[in-house]
Amino acid sequence: MTSAWEGERVRLRAVEPDDWAALHSFSQEADVVRAGESIHPPRSAERARQWAADLAARDADPDEPRLVVAARDGDAPLGMINAHQVDRLNGTFAYGVSLGSRHHRQGYGGEAVVLLLRYLFAERRFQKAEAWVYASNAPSLALHRRLGFVEEGRRRRSHYSGGRWDDEVLFGMTVEEFAGLHGLQGTSGGGDRRRVSGG
């Protein structure tokens, strides 16, 4: 029996203090800026150490997990994934995923997204996921379309970085759409303990 947090290539796990160096190196990569992220002053190694230690010592919010995407073999950090903008009343949440550039286009990101969404849909009973993607980030646009997200709208010229304006594309996926494409039952064998209508 395998964990619901494990896929074929990755597993999602809590941040450990020793993860700081790998995660710090990912944050310094030039293609983070090219993907539309805001440009910030460089962060010191000491600040990165403190950030990882603080996050490792904090109790996790079950509805807003902030997790390391790690290689299933070897446990090395590949990046991070988190849920945010949680609306418990209406059952919606947004999420973000970021991987080091050398781990792009190997299926890690898509697998991590499916694991996180399955947990939030099946275990936490949310009904819709949303993701904002910068229009200049062609790989992320392709990933969300490949996973079955529906493009719902566009905020024009909503973000300025690297000397130019960028649009943000809103993607959404309902629990029924996710269940039809990826299934709600995890790999732990626990099954889907709730009824999903319309799918």
Side-chain angles (χ1 to χ4, degrees), residues 6-93:
E6 289 186 353
E8 292 180 8
R9 288 158 290 206
V10 305
R11 73 183 188 99
L12 306 185
R13 62 167 174 80
V15 174
E16 297 293 346
D18 289 343
D19 292 331
W20 76 267
L23 299 175
H24 181 58
S25 71
F26 299 154
S27 73
Q28 305 298 312
E29 293 175 350
D31 63 336
V32 170
V33 174
R34 288 197 296 272
E37 296 295 330
S38 296
I39 298 173
H40 299 286
R43 182 168 63 173
S44 70
E46 181 57 31
R47 181 67 189 94
R49 282 190 197 96
Q50 291 175 4
W51 172 83
D54 290 347
L55 197 55
R58 190 181 311 161
D59 286 334
D61 182 331
D63 289 342
E64 294 188 349
R66 187 177 183 97
L67 301 167
V68 169
V69 180
R72 186 169 175 183
D73 297 328
D75 202 40
L78 309 174
M80 291 200 71
I81 191 167
N82 72 300
H84 57 92
Q85 296 180 5
V86 167
D87 181 342
R88 293 173 179 88
L89 177 64
N90 293 301
T92 63
F93 66 93

Side-chain angles (χ1 to χ4, degrees), residues 138-195:
S140 187
L141 294 172
L143 169 67
H144 284 84
R145 290 174 178 135
R146 188 165 59 251
L147 289 175
F149 279 81
V150 175
E151 186 173 328
E152 297 184 342
R154 178 180 291 249
R155 294 176 62 200
R156 298 180 301 150
R157 292 170 57 106
S158 64
H159 182 77
Y160 185 82
S161 179
R164 64 180 181 79
W165 292 99
D166 206 351
D167 296 354
E168 287 179 286
V169 180
L170 173 62
F171 286 94
M173 181 182 288
T174 66
V175 63
E176 293 87 2
E177 290 165 343
F178 181 88
L181 292 168
H182 305 287
L184 282 179
Q185 182 173 341
T187 57
S188 62
D192 180 13
R193 293 191 296 274
R194 68 184 188 91
R195 183 172 177 267

